[in-house]
Amino acid sequence: RNLPANKHAAALNATALHKIGRKKEAASAVTELIGAFQRSEDQHVQDELGAPLELVVSLLVEMHRTKEALRLLSQLLSRVSGPRHQPLFFGLARLYAKNGLNKDALVLKLPQLCTRPPVQQTWDLLKSMAEYSPAAVEKLLQSYIDEAGPGQFTHVPQITEVMCKLPFGADGSASNRALKLLQRFGAQVTPDRPEDLKIIVEDLRAFMSSNISPAVRERLPRAIESLLLSYCEALTAQHTADAWEMPGDLMKRAFNGQTPAVLLEQLQRSCLRLPLTSEKTLWV
């Protein structure tokens, strides 16, 4: 049985042979290593993702045996069958990216590792994969975005966190795209679901302390103000005490006790619209 240490030694030997011009011997050694990797037991594959497999894949690419490199990685990728195989998937993805190999196989496999509804492991995987296979991550992320909506904004903070790991797009920086998404979700917020307001405002606040471009950071206070203003305008006597209480609490946190006058004035106008029978709401 080929142990990981033996594969490492064999890979180093094949690399040395190739560098000193003994091409046929190097090619033969690499072919033997391919067979050894394909025969590896599942419990050993993870240990072999480091130097041994990395050396073999790099050699195959250097020898212009790219199809064999893809075939080997695809065979190992076929062992990935669920979230418990995330480390193996991530290790293989790194090799695809490092060697400039076609990532179609990753795009097809990634959804199998992501749960519905998503759990923290799912978000961690997507953040890790954003660098190596952004197209696959963006495609899957879009499916989670499509599922979000009024009463279903629970995963918005995780969605925007993954978005900020993606490369720049045609419409600007990743943080700019995340801000636009939050504004789009914010337009769907109503006093019928005050928790939605809290999720979106708190995520906008989180952006203010994160590493984003100054241009995007400057727009955040205005985005929060606009969202709270629209929410307060929609408040009526039919809404719950929680719905009335939520914007006040968020204003204090978002603006450090210096709430813009326009928000306070709108909240006062909303209160003045209440009938005298809504005394309890006025106390809120």
Side-chain angles (χ1 to χ4, degrees):
R1 185 173 62 181
N2 288 297
L3 297 175
N6 290 342
K7 287 193 185 71
H8 191 188
L12 287 171
N13 181 57
T15 302
L17 289 170
H18 182 71
K19 288 186 182 297
I20 63 175
R22 293 164 65 175
K23 307 294 184 184
K24 287 186 178 179
E25 292 175 70
S28 177
V30 169
T31 299
E32 289 180 14
L33 275 165
I34 290 172
F37 278 115
Q38 290 172 335
R39 293 190 300 271
S40 288
E41 297 176 9
D42 284 352
Q43 63 263 34
H44 291 153
V45 171
Q46 182 63 45
D47 296 330
E48 296 163 353
L49 282 176
L53 184 58
E54 189 168 334
L55 285 169
V56 170
V57 173
S58 296
L59 264 179
L60 285 170
V61 173
E62 194 173 334
M63 292 173 171
H64 305 291
R65 295 167 65 178
T66 304
K67 288 184 178 179
E68 290 178 75
L70 282 170
R71 210 162 29 241
L72 173 59
L73 291 177
S74 178
Q75 192 272 337
L76 295 175
L77 193 61
S78 69
R79 304 186 185 201
V80 175
S81 60
R84 67 191 179 90
H85 290 131
Q86 283 185 6
L88 173 59
F89 179 82
F90 179 68
L92 293 171
R94 187 178 63 82
L95 293 180
Y96 274 94
K98 182 177 180 179
N99 293 281
L101 298 172
N102 184 293
K103 301 184 184 72
D104 288 350
L106 294 177
V107 175
L108 294 173
K109 182 64 71 169
L110 185 58
Q112 297 177 26
L113 279 77
C114 298
T115 59
R116 289 190 183 277
V119 295
Q120 188 56 47
Q121 273 187 314
T122 300
W123 301 117
D124 290 342
L125 174 66
L126 292 177
K127 283 188 289 184
S128 299
M129 288 298 300
E131 177 186 354
Y132 300 114
S133 188
V137 170
E138 195 153 8
K139 182 178 180 181
L140 193 59
L141 197 61
Q142 187 59 51
S143 70
Y144 290 126
I145 291 172
D146 292 340
E147 292 171 0
Q152 301 293 327
F153 288 137
T154 306
H155 299 299
V156 166
Q158 289 83 7
I159 288 172
T160 54
E161 189 177 4
V162 174
M163 286 183 76
C164 286
K165 298 288 185 181
L166 292 168
F168 280 50
D171 55 349
S173 70
S175 57
N176 185 51
R177 285 187 288 167
L179 174 57
K180 287 182 178 179
L181 178 68
L182 286 173
Q183 289 175 316
R184 194 181 94 200
F185 285 152
Q188 302 173 47
V189 170
T190 70
D192 296 328
R193 295 185 176 90
E195 277 300 315
D196 287 355
L197 178 70
K198 182 179 180 180
I199 290 170
I200 304 301
V201 170
E202 291 290 5
D203 203 27
L204 286 166
R205 285 186 64 231
F207 266 78
M208 295 177 75
S209 58
S210 61
N211 184 25
I212 59 174
S213 68
V216 173
R217 184 177 285 107
E218 288 172 4
R219 292 159 54 196
L220 292 172
R222 177 58 186 154
I224 294 173
E225 180 183 311
S226 177
L227 175 54
L228 287 168
L229 189 63
S230 297
Y231 181 94
C232 290
E233 287 174 349
L235 282 169
T236 67
Q238 281 70 47
H239 291 118
T240 64
D242 285 343
W244 279 88
E245 192 172 354
M246 186 65 75
D249 290 341
L250 292 172
M251 285 177 196
K252 291 176 187 175
R253 292 203 293 271
F255 300 105
N256 296 318
Q258 297 179 327
T259 304
V262 64
L263 285 176
L264 295 174
E265 290 167 2
Q266 179 54 56
L267 195 54
Q268 289 171 351
R269 283 194 294 271
S270 298
C271 289
L272 290 172
R273 291 201 305 264
L274 290 171
L276 294 176
T277 53
S278 301
E279 184 180 351
K280 288 184 179 179
T281 301
L282 284 168
W283 277 111
V284 169

PDB file of all heavy atoms in Angstrom, residues 252-268:
ATOM      1  N   LYS A 252     -30.869  55.040  17.583  1.00  0.00           N
ATOM      2  CA  LYS A 252     -29.865  55.323  18.627  1.00  0.00           C
ATOM      3  C   LYS A 252     -28.539  54.636  18.310  1.00  0.00           C
ATOM      4  O   LYS A 252     -27.470  55.229  18.440  1.00  0.00           O
ATOM      5  CB  LYS A 252     -30.379  54.850  19.983  1.00  0.00           C
ATOM      6  CG  LYS A 252     -31.546  55.646  20.533  1.00  0.00           C
ATOM      7  CD  LYS A 252     -32.049  55.019  21.838  1.00  0.00           C
ATOM      8  CE  LYS A 252     -33.326  55.694  22.316  1.00  0.00           C
ATOM      9  NZ  LYS A 252     -33.882  55.010  23.515  1.00  0.00           N
ATOM     10  N   ARG A 253     -28.624  53.365  17.888  1.00  0.00           N
ATOM     11  CA  ARG A 253     -27.397  52.606  17.631  1.00  0.00           C
ATOM     12  C   ARG A 253     -26.722  53.052  16.340  1.00  0.00           C
ATOM     13  O   ARG A 253     -25.498  53.147  16.268  1.00  0.00           O
ATOM     14  CB  ARG A 253     -27.707  51.110  17.582  1.00  0.00           C
ATOM     15  CG  ARG A 253     -28.127  50.533  18.925  1.00  0.00           C
ATOM     16  CD  ARG A 253     -27.876  49.043  18.978  1.00  0.00           C
ATOM     17  NE  ARG A 253     -28.727  48.300  18.059  1.00  0.00           N
ATOM     18  CZ  ARG A 253     -29.935  47.838  18.365  1.00  0.00           C
ATOM     19  NH1 ARG A 253     -30.443  48.069  19.560  1.00  0.00           N
ATOM     20  NH2 ARG A 253     -30.639  47.159  17.492  1.00  0.00           N
ATOM     21  N   ALA A 254     -27.523  53.305  15.326  1.00  0.00           N
ATOM     22  CA  ALA A 254     -26.965  53.625  14.005  1.00  0.00           C
ATOM     23  C   ALA A 254     -26.299  54.993  13.969  1.00  0.00           C
ATOM     24  O   ALA A 254     -25.317  55.195  13.249  1.00  0.00           O
ATOM     25  CB  ALA A 254     -28.055  53.546  12.936  1.00  0.00           C
ATOM     26  N   PHE A 255     -26.832  55.934  14.755  1.00  0.00           N
ATOM     27  CA  PHE A 255     -26.319  57.306  14.685  1.00  0.00           C
ATOM     28  C   PHE A 255     -25.687  57.775  16.000  1.00  0.00           C
ATOM     29  O   PHE A 255     -25.495  58.971  16.208  1.00  0.00           O
ATOM     30  CB  PHE A 255     -27.451  58.259  14.268  1.00  0.00           C
ATOM     31  CG  PHE A 255     -28.033  57.925  12.914  1.00  0.00           C
ATOM     32  CD1 PHE A 255     -29.281  57.308  12.804  1.00  0.00           C
ATOM     33  CD2 PHE A 255     -27.330  58.200  11.754  1.00  0.00           C
ATOM     34  CE1 PHE A 255     -29.814  56.990  11.565  1.00  0.00           C
ATOM     35  CE2 PHE A 255     -27.856  57.882  10.500  1.00  0.00           C
ATOM     36  CZ  PHE A 255     -29.095  57.286  10.413  1.00  0.00           C
ATOM     37  N   ASN A 256     -25.354  56.819  16.862  1.00  0.00           N
ATOM     38  CA  ASN A 256     -24.671  57.136  18.128  1.00  0.00           C
ATOM     39  C   ASN A 256     -25.354  58.251  18.914  1.00  0.00           C
ATOM     40  O   ASN A 256     -24.712  59.165  19.438  1.00  0.00           O
ATOM     41  CB  ASN A 256     -23.215  57.529  17.850  1.00  0.00           C
ATOM     42  CG  ASN A 256     -22.411  56.387  17.258  1.00  0.00           C
ATOM     43  OD1 ASN A 256     -22.544  55.244  17.695  1.00  0.00           O
ATOM     44  ND2 ASN A 256     -21.599  56.688  16.268  1.00  0.00           N
ATOM     45  N   GLY A 257     -26.671  58.167  18.979  1.00  0.00           N
ATOM     46  CA  GLY A 257     -27.421  59.151  19.762  1.00  0.00           C
ATOM     47  C   GLY A 257     -27.623  60.486  19.073  1.00  0.00           C
ATOM     48  O   GLY A 257     -28.242  61.390  19.635  1.00  0.00           O
ATOM     49  N   GLN A 258     -27.133  60.632  17.847  1.00  0.00           N
ATOM     50  CA  GLN A 258     -27.296  61.883  17.097  1.00  0.00           C
ATOM     51  C   GLN A 258     -28.170  61.631  15.869  1.00  0.00           C
ATOM     52  O   GLN A 258     -27.737  61.752  14.728  1.00  0.00           O
ATOM     53  CB  GLN A 258     -25.925  62.439  16.685  1.00  0.00           C
ATOM     54  CG  GLN A 258     -25.053  62.810  17.877  1.00  0.00           C
ATOM     55  CD  GLN A 258     -23.697  63.343  17.457  1.00  0.00           C
ATOM     56  OE1 GLN A 258     -23.139  62.935  16.444  1.00  0.00           O
ATOM     57  NE2 GLN A 258     -23.164  64.279  18.228  1.00  0.00           N
ATOM     58  N   THR A 259     -29.406  61.263  16.133  1.00  0.00           N
ATOM     59  CA  THR A 259     -30.341  60.930  15.059  1.00  0.00           C
ATOM     60  C   THR A 259     -30.625  62.153  14.183  1.00  0.00           C
ATOM     61  O   THR A 259     -30.902  63.236  14.709  1.00  0.00           O
ATOM     62  CB  THR A 259     -31.668  60.410  15.652  1.00  0.00           C
ATOM     63  OG1 THR A 259     -31.373  59.287  16.503  1.00  0.00           O
ATOM     64  CG2 THR A 259     -32.619  59.968  14.561  1.00  0.00           C
ATOM     65  N   PRO A 260     -30.572  62.006  12.861  1.00  0.00           N
ATOM     66  CA  PRO A 260     -30.888  63.127  11.968  1.00  0.00           C
ATOM     67  C   PRO A 260     -32.280  63.684  12.251  1.00  0.00           C
ATOM     68  O   PRO A 260     -33.225  62.927  12.507  1.00  0.00           O
ATOM     69  CB  PRO A 260     -30.821  62.490  10.574  1.00  0.00           C
ATOM     70  CG  PRO A 260     -29.879  61.337  10.740  1.00  0.00           C
ATOM     71  CD  PRO A 260     -30.122  60.815  12.114  1.00  0.00           C
ATOM     72  N   ALA A 261     -32.391  65.003  12.189  1.00  0.00           N
ATOM     73  CA  ALA A 261     -33.662  65.669  12.506  1.00  0.00           C
ATOM     74  C   ALA A 261     -34.798  65.168  11.630  1.00  0.00           C
ATOM     75  O   ALA A 261     -35.939  65.038  12.091  1.00  0.00           O
ATOM     76  CB  ALA A 261     -33.496  67.177  12.351  1.00  0.00           C
ATOM     77  N   VAL A 262     -34.503  64.848  10.365  1.00  0.00           N
ATOM     78  CA  VAL A 262     -35.552  64.426   9.444  1.00  0.00           C
ATOM     79  C   VAL A 262     -36.222  63.135   9.939  1.00  0.00           C
ATOM     80  O   VAL A 262     -37.444  62.956   9.760  1.00  0.00           O
ATOM     81  CB  VAL A 262     -34.981  64.241   8.017  1.00  0.00           C
ATOM     82  CG1 VAL A 262     -33.956  63.105   7.978  1.00  0.00           C
ATOM     83  CG2 VAL A 262     -36.089  63.985   7.017  1.00  0.00           C
ATOM     84  N   LEU A 263     -35.457  62.265  10.585  1.00  0.00           N
ATOM     85  CA  LEU A 263     -36.037  61.026  11.103  1.00  0.00           C
ATOM     86  C   LEU A 263     -36.920  61.291  12.323  1.00  0.00           C
ATOM     87  O   LEU A 263     -38.015  60.732  12.448  1.00  0.00           O
ATOM     88  CB  LEU A 263     -34.925  60.038  11.468  1.00  0.00           C
ATOM     89  CG  LEU A 263     -34.216  59.343  10.304  1.00  0.00           C
ATOM     90  CD1 LEU A 263     -33.088  58.471  10.825  1.00  0.00           C
ATOM     91  CD2 LEU A 263     -35.189  58.505   9.489  1.00  0.00           C
ATOM     92  N   LEU A 264     -36.439  62.129  13.217  1.00  0.00           N
ATOM     93  CA  LEU A 264     -37.233  62.460  14.411  1.00  0.00           C
ATOM     94  C   LEU A 264     -38.528  63.154  14.032  1.00  0.00           C
ATOM     95  O   LEU A 264     -39.592  62.878  14.599  1.00  0.00           O
ATOM     96  CB  LEU A 264     -36.411  63.354  15.344  1.00  0.00           C
ATOM     97  CG  LEU A 264     -35.163  62.688  15.957  1.00  0.00           C
ATOM     98  CD1 LEU A 264     -34.354  63.714  16.747  1.00  0.00           C
ATOM     99  CD2 LEU A 264     -35.550  61.521  16.845  1.00  0.00           C
ATOM    100  N   GLU A 265     -38.448  64.048  13.054  1.00  0.00           N
ATOM    101  CA  GLU A 265     -39.654  64.768  12.601  1.00  0.00           C
ATOM    102  C   GLU A 265     -40.658  63.816  11.980  1.00  0.00           C
ATOM    103  O   GLU A 265     -41.867  63.938  12.211  1.00  0.00           O
ATOM    104  CB  GLU A 265     -39.257  65.853  11.599  1.00  0.00           C
ATOM    105  CG  GLU A 265     -38.489  67.011  12.232  1.00  0.00           C
ATOM    106  CD  GLU A 265     -37.836  67.908  11.197  1.00  0.00           C
ATOM    107  OE1 GLU A 265     -38.014  67.637   9.973  1.00  0.00           O
ATOM    108  OE2 GLU A 265     -37.134  68.856  11.587  1.00  0.00           O
ATOM    109  N   GLN A 266     -40.165  62.846  11.193  1.00  0.00           N
ATOM    110  CA  GLN A 266     -41.083  61.888  10.576  1.00  0.00           C
ATOM    111  C   GLN A 266     -41.728  60.993  11.629  1.00  0.00           C
ATOM    112  O   GLN A 266     -42.924  60.689  11.546  1.00  0.00           O
ATOM    113  CB  GLN A 266     -40.348  61.026   9.548  1.00  0.00           C
ATOM    114  CG  GLN A 266     -41.233  59.984   8.876  1.00  0.00           C
ATOM    115  CD  GLN A 266     -42.468  60.574   8.246  1.00  0.00           C
ATOM    116  OE1 GLN A 266     -42.370  61.481   7.405  1.00  0.00           O
ATOM    117  NE2 GLN A 266     -43.651  60.092   8.626  1.00  0.00           N
ATOM    118  N   LEU A 267     -40.970  60.593  12.636  1.00  0.00           N
ATOM    119  CA  LEU A 267     -41.523  59.771  13.704  1.00  0.00           C
ATOM    120  C   LEU A 267     -42.596  60.539  14.467  1.00  0.00           C
ATOM    121  O   LEU A 267     -43.650  59.975  14.821  1.00  0.00           O
ATOM    122  CB  LEU A 267     -40.404  59.338  14.649  1.00  0.00           C
ATOM    123  CG  LEU A 267     -40.718  58.195  15.623  1.00  0.00           C
ATOM    124  CD1 LEU A 267     -41.252  56.973  14.895  1.00  0.00           C
ATOM    125  CD2 LEU A 267     -39.477  57.825  16.430  1.00  0.00           C
ATOM    126  N   GLN A 268     -42.378  61.827  14.667  1.00  0.00           N
ATOM    127  CA  GLN A 268     -43.380  62.674  15.323  1.00  0.00           C
ATOM    128  C   GLN A 268     -44.643  62.777  14.474  1.00  0.00           C
ATOM    129  O   GLN A 268     -45.768  62.694  14.993  1.00  0.00           O
ATOM    130  CB  GLN A 268     -42.803  64.069  15.577  1.00  0.00           C
ATOM    131  CG  GLN A 268     -41.743  64.101  16.672  1.00  0.00           C
ATOM    132  CD  GLN A 268     -41.037  65.440  16.771  1.00  0.00           C
ATOM    133  OE1 GLN A 268     -41.217  66.307  15.906  1.00  0.00           O
ATOM    134  NE2 GLN A 268     -40.238  65.621  17.808  1.00  0.00           N
TER     135      GLN A 268
END
